[in-house]
Amino acid sequence: MPGIVKVGAAQSGPIQKDEGRQAVVGRLLALMKEAHARGCDLVVFTELALTTFFPRYYADDRAEMDSWFETEMPGAATRPLFEFAAGNGIGFSLGYAELTPEGRHFNTQILVDKTGAVIGKYRKVHLPGHAEHEPERTFQHLEKRYFEPGDIGFPVWRTLGGVMGMCICNDRRWPETFRVMGLQGVELIMLGYNTPSGNSLKPEESAETRMHHSRLCMQAGAYQNATWVVGVAKAGEEDGHHLIAGTCIIDPDGFVVTEAETEDDELVVYDCDLDETKFLKETTFNFEAHRRVEHYRLIADRTGAKPPPED
Ligand code: ING
């Protein structure tokens, strides 16, 4: 059917520290096989889908964490995903920790088409948390220690019958992420997230509030850029640390059209009609007709907020 992409949002349950790549890939392959059996064109896996969320651990020597990274993609452990995809005509997106031949570290997501070819790569731009051990926190979140900010920007790709984009986790909290892809006509954005259900600096913040913030960002991003958004969690308790679930698919009007019900490996499927993005792109969010870029300079020129001087 023209315009329809049958998407499988493949939520991961928790991945424990001692769970090897082969076992994890076995879980992902089971989700991919279910997606294929249910007729999916595309399976979206989560952020850092091959390992536990290791940025919660402090290591003096950063090189100690290199074992959590992939030096090749596909590699021996991940090849079964590519082989099944190519053999069964299903595309997929996969989040993982990337260690480049030059020794650079990124939090990365790739887009693989129905032939099993890697046609897109995105490297997480917005790294939350901190780079040094901060004892006052109830838990550490050391993405700034182990990853570099992405150096690819926010590209989109014309594939799988539409204009596809990717981002990762904290990126969804920054409207610029969605707008840069919106300005390239994106019709479906896929993102994974590993989001702790607690706030390490505000213990009283509830898991419901964390879920609210997560949904709010994705629903706003979808509507304000007239695009589908597929948000895929790594969920549940890893080494005593709980991550929110809430994997969902959001339509261009910002409605959550389907969502996961568990905190385990769970596939959520929906027929995303990319033609449903057209009306808003041609009316309310016809960027060419309505945007006034001459008034937006601060967004690109100023990094931090500068309130007016106090009198
Ligand atoms: N995780 C969290 C996220 O952005 C976070 C970190 C949570 C930052 C809540 C700020 C507030 O969903 C990752 N991996 O980015």
Side-chain angles (χ1 to χ4, degrees), residues 47 53 107 124 126 128 141 143 168-173 193-196 210:
E47 174 188 26
F53 186 72
N107 186 341
K124 187 174 183 179
H126 299 98
H141 193 115
E143 291 194 59
I168 301 175
C169 203
N170 194 258
D171 287 322
R172 73 192 186 285
R173 301 182 192 277
Y193 58 88
N194 290 200
T195 301
R210 308 280 276 182

Side-chain angles (χ1 to χ4, degrees), residues 290-303:
H290 301 307
R291 294 183 72 240
R292 305 301 317 172
V293 292
E294 64 271 21
H295 297 300
Y296 303 161
R297 289 263 29 99
L298 276 190
I299 294 175
D301 293 346
R302 181 176 292 182
T303 302

Side-chain angles (χ1 to χ4, degrees), residues 58-59 62 128-134 141-146:
Y58 177 79
R62 289 170 174 72
H130 44 103
E132 300 305 327
H133 188 268
E134 295 185 358
H141 193 115
L142 292 154
E143 291 194 59
K144 291 187 193 304
R145 186 174 185 80
Y146 301 128

Side-chain angles (χ1 to χ4, degrees), residues 122 124-128 143 150 154 168 170-171 174 176-177:
Y122 170 74
K124 187 174 183 179
V125 166
H126 299 98
L127 298 173
E143 291 194 59
F154 302 101
I168 301 175
N170 194 258
D171 287 322
W174 304 96
E176 297 89 341
T177 300

